[in-house]
Amino acid sequence: MAEEKWHYNVVSLLSGTEWDFLIRNNGEKVAISSLDGRKFGLFLSEIHYDRIVTDDLIKVYNQLSSEGRDFEIVFVSCDSCEETFNMYFSDMPWLAVPFADSDTRERLHDHFGSFTEYYPDLLVIYDAAIGMVVNEEGLRAVAKYGVNGYPFTVKRYYELEAAAKKEQSLRSLLVSSSRDYLISNDGSKVAVSDLEGKIVAFYFWFNIPDKDGGPDKLTRVLAEIYRKLKEAGESFEVVLVPLDDNKSSYEQGLASMPWLAIPFEDEGCERLIRYFELWPFHLPTVLVIGADGKIMLKNYDSLIDDYGVLAWEAFPFSEEQLDLLPEKARAAQTLESLLVAGDLDYVIGKEGLKVPVKELVGKTILLFFAMNGSIWCQKFLPMLIEAYHKIKRMDSAFEVIYVPMGDMNTDPGAFEFFLRMPWLAVPVGDERIGSLENTLEVGYVNTMVVIGPTGQTITNNAATSLERYGADAYPFSGERIKEVEMAQTLESLLVAGDLDYVIGKEGLKVMNRAYSESTAGHRRWLIYRHSCFTGSSEGACWQDHPPLLLGSRVRYMPRISSHLIEEYHKIKRMDSAFEVVNISMDKDQDSFEEFFSGMPWLALPFGDERKKSLERTFGGGIFLPYLFVIGPTGRISTRNAKRSLATHGADAYPFSEERIKELDQKIDEMANGWPEKRKHELHKHRSRRLGRCMHL
């Protein structure tokens, strides 16, 4: 593959069946054969707002041409229409494949593949004298080294890289032929030599004021970090690398900054952008240079995003200090460190009410990260509202804060969504939202982070606990969840007031209390949600007997009958203290009765109100059936008996983690030393069994 890509005649690739020429922007036709034996680059690009790449290439091309160097460029348009092609090509001093020669353009695009993350355009360097592509990333060499990168081969690029890395120093980065100083915010000059031996942060900066006209968040936080490090007497400096093309904007921004800067429109700014390969989508950014002049940290701004002012603790940016930062951040976390940013020291209630964050300190806070456009958030909201009111009655020092993950563009109904909530919120589009997402590592909607009275995180996501246990899960600590789980019994799951029974055939009611007196503590249940819920057989008490809970719909019944019923009878022969209870997921009584008629076990009556609480407790996936095992103590043994039953059948009983590990280990030991073909056959067999259960 590599051989095909690097050794071929590019000149022949340029030649279409009807075209033997290229064009200039003045309409002149140039024979393709004129490129024979020459060095040239194929510039694959399309018109776009950012002209940095194209303008750089024009400068280099014109200089090489004026010096009589052997180099040509052929523009291969990616534009969708001839009008934009003509507009883009009008500024180019080189050749182009005619726009009408679409076959050649498509052939070249297909051959040279995709664009890279760093370079949205491609410059493929070809040496026709040797018939080889000598660099597929020619733009990288042009952008970083300009004319000095000629002839832009991979070899030349790495020669320059090695030399630059060896010679790199603070002086080589900051001093030019016309300047050996930086300037302070009062306009005074400071020699670059004064910074030698210090750790220096290069702040590549656009002046983008906040909504009130003040410095942006990155500038504000970096200034606070700078102040802390200076007060601590650390050998640290920041150098502003201005990217603005407006002098008054530059001067206005610099006036509020405590550090040094490269002068406005200094050529050193553009040179640093090229040298560090920083493109517009990387900017603004902060990179850190060590006392030896070498790069220590490329994206200090990312740390600032994640940790705010606490990012100063990363100094002196050693690996050890960077590794300790997450732990330090957790230890230093408070509600105010999470929710206060400058003047943004409040959350909102209804009708524009502002609630100061300091009034919430000492409370347990649930941060509800959500979007109006998310079906999961919409579905979860009523459940959260119900739990909220119950918890507030138990503990008034509890509050929920809605954190809208979309803005008015991506989630236009965010504010209306908030109006349905009885709690507080961070304003839609607030700059603190991104910081909260970064600090608390929130990647998904419907995430609920609980912050305790001390400001420390109790749990990164209370959603599952809340769904299973409702307000009983409060305050959502690991200890509390264990308490709730330990207190769980089969009776607590399946008894609600007078609803203290499940049903057998012909409407027979199997009572919990009467039966539990003779069999308590012995029976294991499998809860089967397959448009139903399955439990113990006639004459058996179900309270202390672990069932398999099952949920499904009637259309799947034949396959259930042929597989699950078979395994059910096998387990019953091994242990009579086993039963199944079916929880119906069917839409109507007739479907339920049709389905249940073929089952040898018990069920929850169709439409029973207990189904809702069981669904909440057990959750489930998108594929029916769901099989959950309740042990003799009444606690959940496993939430995924489906996979175990599919893989191991009745041998999986009693479905404990230890039993499944034991079976898997036996299979692995049995397969040890087998030919690969036999192992493959075993894998296929197990996959078929698993598939049969997964898609019942």
Side-chain angles (χ1 to χ4, degrees):
M1 186 74 172
E3 180 117 1
E4 283 180 2
K5 202 162 189 178
W6 289 76
H7 293 273
Y8 48 79
N9 190 340
V10 171
V11 175
S12 66
L13 282 176
L14 284 167
S15 304
T17 54
E18 300 178 12
W19 307 80
D20 61 356
F21 61 87
L22 303 168
I23 58 171
R24 294 195 183 278
N25 56 20
N26 61 4
E28 178 188 352
K29 295 179 180 179
V30 177
I32 293 173
S33 58
S34 65
L35 296 174
D36 286 336
R38 297 193 63 189
K39 297 179 178 67
F40 63 90
L42 295 176
F43 182 43
L44 288 78
S45 179
E46 65 182 344
I47 194 168
H48 43 74
Y49 175 76
D50 176 23
R51 285 290 304 260
I52 291 177
V53 170
T54 310
D55 291 345
D56 286 349
L57 196 54
I58 289 172
K59 290 176 187 176
V60 169
Y61 177 84
N62 287 337
Q63 187 172 342
L64 289 173
S65 296
S66 66
E67 294 172 2
R69 308 253 200 132
D70 176 26
F71 188 66
E72 186 53 78
I73 293 177
V74 177
F75 173 43
V76 184
S77 174
C78 307
D79 293 296
S80 57
C81 70
E82 191 164 9
E83 183 180 355
T84 54
F85 164 78
N86 290 332
M87 189 184 306
Y88 194 22
F89 185 44
S90 65
D91 294 332
M92 299 178 182
W94 46 69
L95 305 172
V97 175
F99 185 81
D101 189 3
S102 57
D103 288 344
T104 298
R105 290 190 295 112
E106 288 176 14
R107 183 166 61 251
L108 290 166
H109 284 289
D110 291 343
H111 192 87
F112 290 107
S114 62
F115 303 109
T116 69
E117 177 188 356
Y118 299 103
Y119 300 95
D121 309 297
L122 285 177
L123 182 66
V124 180
I125 307 298
Y126 182 73
D127 188 340
I130 58 175
M132 281 186 66
V133 169
V134 292
N135 194 352
E136 287 189 299
E137 296 185 7
L139 283 177
R140 196 173 189 181
V142 170
K144 198 163 186 179
Y145 296 110
V147 174
N148 197 35
Y150 180 81
F152 312 116
T153 62
V154 171
K155 180 182 177 182
R156 175 61 177 163
Y157 176 80
Y158 283 111
E159 285 175 352
L160 293 171
E161 283 281 281
K165 188 175 289 187
K166 184 177 180 181
E167 297 169 7
Q168 182 178 305
S169 66
L170 200 60
R171 184 172 182 82
S172 72
L173 293 171
L174 289 176
V175 172
S176 67
S177 57
S178 60
R179 177 187 52 77
D180 61 358
Y181 62 87
L182 302 166
I183 59 172
S184 64
N185 57 9
D186 62 4
S188 58
K189 296 179 179 180
V190 178
V192 170
S193 58
D194 290 353
L195 276 61
E196 290 180 359
K198 293 184 177 183
I199 292 175
V200 179
F202 284 48
Y203 181 17
F204 292 83
W205 168 82
F206 288 108
N207 187 10
I208 306 174
D210 66 9
K211 61 182 180 181
D212 298 319
D216 63 281
K217 181 183 175 183
L218 178 57
T219 301
R220 293 198 309 268
V221 177
L222 185 59
E224 183 63 18
I225 291 170
Y226 181 81
R227 182 185 64 77
K228 281 182 173 289
L229 289 173
K230 285 293 188 180
E231 287 176 355
E234 301 292 0
S235 186
F236 177 73
E237 191 52 71
V238 174
V239 172
L240 188 74
V241 184
L243 307 175
D244 270 315
D245 55 7
N246 183 294
K247 189 172 184 180
S248 63
S249 175
Y250 164 77
E251 291 173 345
Q252 179 187 3
L254 180 59
S256 64
M257 297 177 182
W259 45 68
L260 305 175
I262 294 175
F264 178 70
E265 287 191 335
D266 189 282
E267 63 181 18
C269 299
E270 190 174 331
R271 181 169 56 84
L272 286 170
I273 290 174
R274 297 174 192 280
Y275 183 78
F276 291 118
E277 298 184 85
L278 301 173
W279 296 105
F281 46 86
H282 293 142
L283 302 171
T285 191
V286 181
L287 61 85
V288 179
I289 304 297
D292 61 355
K294 305 298 187 288
I295 295 176
M296 296 187 73
L297 190 62
K298 279 193 171 181
N299 297 302
Y300 188 38
D301 51 296
S302 293
L303 283 185
I304 292 173
D305 275 346
D306 290 344
Y307 300 107
V309 175
L310 192 69
W312 81 277
E313 295 267 14
F315 188 87
F317 310 106
S318 63
E319 219 173 279
E320 181 183 4
Q321 286 300 109
L322 292 171
D323 289 343
L324 288 173
L325 193 56
E327 184 180 334
K328 289 182 177 181
R330 285 191 291 271
Q333 180 179 294
T334 65
L335 189 66
E336 289 173 306
S337 73
L338 291 171
L339 286 175
V340 174
D343 294 335
L344 297 171
D345 58 355
Y346 60 87
V347 290
I348 61 170
K350 301 299 186 293
E351 299 178 357
L353 175 69
K354 291 184 178 180
V355 179
V357 172
K358 63 183 179 182
E359 293 184 7
L360 301 173
V361 172
K363 294 187 176 185
T364 298
I365 305 295
L366 187 150
L367 298 171
F368 178 36
F369 292 84
M371 286 184 71
N372 173 63
S374 165
I375 188 172
W376 298 109
C377 297
Q378 293 282 356
K379 183 179 178 181
F380 205 93
L381 182 60
M383 190 187 308
L384 182 56
I385 291 174
E386 179 186 347
Y388 172 77
H389 289 304
K390 287 182 179 178
I391 295 171
K392 288 289 279 187
R393 287 194 290 272
M394 293 190 291
D395 182 3
S396 60
F398 169 72
E399 195 50 76
V400 173
I401 298 175
Y402 166 48
V403 185
M405 296 184 75
D407 55 31
M408 295 308 290
N409 293 320
T410 59
D411 195 24
F415 187 72
E416 287 73 16
F417 191 39
F418 171 53
L419 294 178
R420 295 165 53 193
M421 303 173 186
W423 46 70
L424 305 173
V426 176
V428 177
D430 193 291
E431 69 175 48
R432 290 171 290 178
I433 295 171
S435 177
L436 284 166
E437 291 175 0
N438 287 331
T439 302
L440 300 173
E441 298 181 345
V442 175
Y444 305 96
V445 295
N446 211 47
T447 294
M448 300 176 196
V449 180
V450 180
I451 308 299
T454 64
Q456 298 289 295
T457 301
I458 293 178
T459 177
N460 287 320
N461 199 353
T464 301
S465 302
L466 197 65
E467 184 177 23
R468 290 177 182 171
Y469 310 117
D472 289 341
Y474 183 76
F476 309 104
S477 62
E479 294 76 13
R480 177 56 186 163
I481 302 308
K482 285 180 182 177
E483 286 176 10
V484 174
E485 290 174 345
M486 291 296 289
Q488 179 182 290
T489 64
L490 193 64
E491 189 169 20
S492 70
L493 289 171
L494 287 176
V495 173
D498 294 335
L499 297 171
D500 59 351
Y501 59 87
V502 289
I503 61 172
K505 297 297 181 290
E506 299 178 357
L508 175 68
K509 291 184 179 180
V510 179
M511 308 300 292
N512 170 53
R513 293 181 180 86
Y515 197 75
S516 62
E517 293 174 1
S518 60
T519 57
H522 301 290
R523 189 167 291 274
R524 187 173 300 274
W525 298 75
L526 187 140
I527 307 299
Y528 175 30
R529 295 179 60 220
H530 200 288
S531 287
C532 343
F533 180 57
T534 322
S536 77
S537 61
E538 225 174 285
C541 166
W542 51 267
Q543 180 187 359
D544 300 302
H545 304 270
L548 178 113
L549 305 182
L550 173 152
S552 166
R553 293 191 177 83
V554 70
R555 64 178 179 273
Y556 298 115
M557 189 179 73
R559 276 187 279 181
I560 295 168
S561 300
S562 64
H563 177 58
L564 185 56
I565 292 175
E566 178 185 348
E567 303 304 322
Y568 168 78
H569 287 303
K570 287 180 183 178
I571 296 173
K572 288 289 283 185
R573 286 193 291 272
M574 292 190 292
D575 183 359
S576 61
F578 169 73
E579 200 44 79
V580 176
V581 176
N582 184 66
I583 305 175
S584 172
M585 304 293 286
D586 289 303
K587 294 182 178 180
D588 56 69
Q589 181 79 32
D590 290 343
S591 297
F592 164 70
E593 290 177 357
E594 179 188 351
F595 184 38
F596 184 47
S597 65
M599 297 178 178
W601 44 69
L602 304 175
L604 207 65
F606 178 77
D608 194 293
E609 67 183 49
R610 290 171 289 179
K611 174 187 164 186
K612 187 174 181 181
S613 65
L614 287 166
E615 283 184 318
R616 180 177 295 183
T617 299
F618 292 107
I622 60 173
F623 296 112
L624 296 169
Y626 316 145
L627 307 177
F628 308 96
V629 176
I630 309 300
T633 62
R635 292 192 287 275
I636 297 172
S637 296
T638 179
R639 293 176 179 272
N640 192 13
K642 178 167 64 175
R643 181 178 294 273
S644 306
L645 197 65
T647 305
H648 303 293
D651 289 341
Y653 186 77
F655 307 104
S656 63
E657 186 177 337
E658 295 75 14
R659 177 58 177 162
I660 303 309
K661 283 183 179 178
E662 179 187 341
L663 292 172
D664 286 341
Q665 187 176 352
K666 283 183 178 179
I667 291 174
D668 291 340
E669 288 173 355
M670 184 172 60
N672 189 30
W674 282 4
E676 288 301 316
K677 181 179 178 182
R678 180 70 184 95
K679 289 182 183 179
H680 181 64
E681 289 172 353
L682 175 65
H683 174 73
K684 283 170 62 177
H685 173 69
R686 294 178 70 183
S687 297
R688 280 196 299 270
R689 292 197 67 184
L690 180 59
R692 176 171 59 175
C693 186
M694 293 294 285
H695 300 286
L696 282 176

